[in-house]
Amino acid sequence: MSTLLYLHGFDSSPGSRKAVILQQWVQLYRPDIELLIPQLPYFPEQVSESLEHIMFDRVVDKFGIIGSSLGGFYATWLSQCFTVPAVLVNPLVKPAEYLTAFLGQQYQTHFGEQIVIDQQHLEDFQTLELPFIESPDLIWLLAQQGDEVLPYQQAAEYYSSCRQTIEPSGNHSFVGFENYLPDIIDFLGL
């Protein structure tokens, strides 16, 4: 049994463009893969607990992760802690550092939920942050230089020991994501 876990970004969902493209592709070409696309909470401690439950509750032969944006941060943590391969799409490398600019601000999510970015968010992200990649062979970075949200250079530097594909232009949603799916599945060993 093969399982593929897709982790979406900060204010995204299982209904995001990449998630839907992935669902359709798996149904069409790899229906043998169990695809999990959980709705991630906004609080890092809740996310880490739910992801640990997913990992501990599954007994599978093959497991792979795709993480986009903030999901790429969580995918990195999960990959290195559980020794599973992960593909990161325009990942957020240091969420505590990035979200410092939004500290104390109320944020209206696209689900209508009001959250406040507070010091606890930053501390929880710092707890999950890895100083370096211990098993670089488990990670493939996909980034586009035209990412209007996150600086691709930060990801290129942090994941410098990992496989990398950095495309010119593009955007944060990663133009042409669907073209990489066969190679992603191959890299993940599914």
Side-chain angles (χ1 to χ4, degrees), residues 124-185:
D124 289 348
F125 279 125
Q126 286 173 330
T127 300
L128 299 176
E129 207 171 279
L130 304 173
F132 62 93
I133 303 299
E134 244 178 71
S135 301
D137 57 311
L138 292 175
I139 301 226
W140 179 15
L141 169 67
L142 290 174
Q144 292 185 328
Q145 293 178 4
D147 186 337
E148 70 283 6
V149 177
L150 301 172
Y152 80 92
Q153 299 93 330
Q154 193 175 47
E157 182 181 331
Y158 181 71
Y159 298 105
S160 62
S161 60
C162 305
R163 177 178 173 177
Q164 295 190 2
T165 302
I166 300 176
E167 295 187 343
S169 66
N171 60 35
H172 188 61
S173 67
F174 201 92
V175 176
F177 171 70
E178 59 278 5
N179 300 327
Y180 281 94
L181 290 175
D183 291 333
I184 287 172
I185 297 302

Side-chain angles (χ1 to χ4, degrees), residues 42-175:
Y42 288 96
F43 302 94
E45 186 177 350
Q46 293 173 1
V47 173
S48 62
E49 287 174 8
S50 68
L51 294 178
E52 286 174 343
H53 284 298
I54 287 172
M55 297 306 291
F56 290 130
D57 289 348
R58 295 215 139 32
V59 179
V60 294
D61 296 327
K62 299 173 185 174
F63 197 99
I65 308 165
I66 300 173
S68 177
S69 193
L70 181 57
F73 171 79
Y74 291 127
T76 300
W77 171 76
L78 210 55
S79 165
Q80 299 300 287
C81 290
F82 288 90
T83 319
V84 295
V87 174
L88 316 175
V89 183
N90 286 332
L92 175 55
V93 176
K94 297 179 181 272
E97 184 180 293
Y98 180 79
L99 290 172
T100 298
F102 303 97
L103 197 60
Q105 291 186 19
Q106 284 194 344
Y107 183 80
Q108 174 88 27
T109 71
H110 76 265
F111 295 110
E113 186 180 352
Q114 285 275 24
I115 61 168
V116 175
I117 306 296
D118 60 19
Q119 192 61 41
Q120 190 62 53
H121 274 95
L122 305 185
E123 290 172 14
D124 289 348
F125 279 125
Q126 286 173 330
T127 300
L128 299 176
E129 207 171 279
L130 304 173
F132 62 93
I133 303 299
E134 244 178 71
S135 301
D137 57 311
L138 292 175
I139 301 226
W140 179 15
L141 169 67
L142 290 174
Q144 292 185 328
Q145 293 178 4
D147 186 337
E148 70 283 6
V149 177
L150 301 172
Y152 80 92
Q153 299 93 330
Q154 193 175 47
E157 182 181 331
Y158 181 71
Y159 298 105
S160 62
S161 60
C162 305
R163 177 178 173 177
Q164 295 190 2
T165 302
I166 300 176
E167 295 187 343
S169 66
N171 60 35
H172 188 61
S173 67
F174 201 92
V175 176

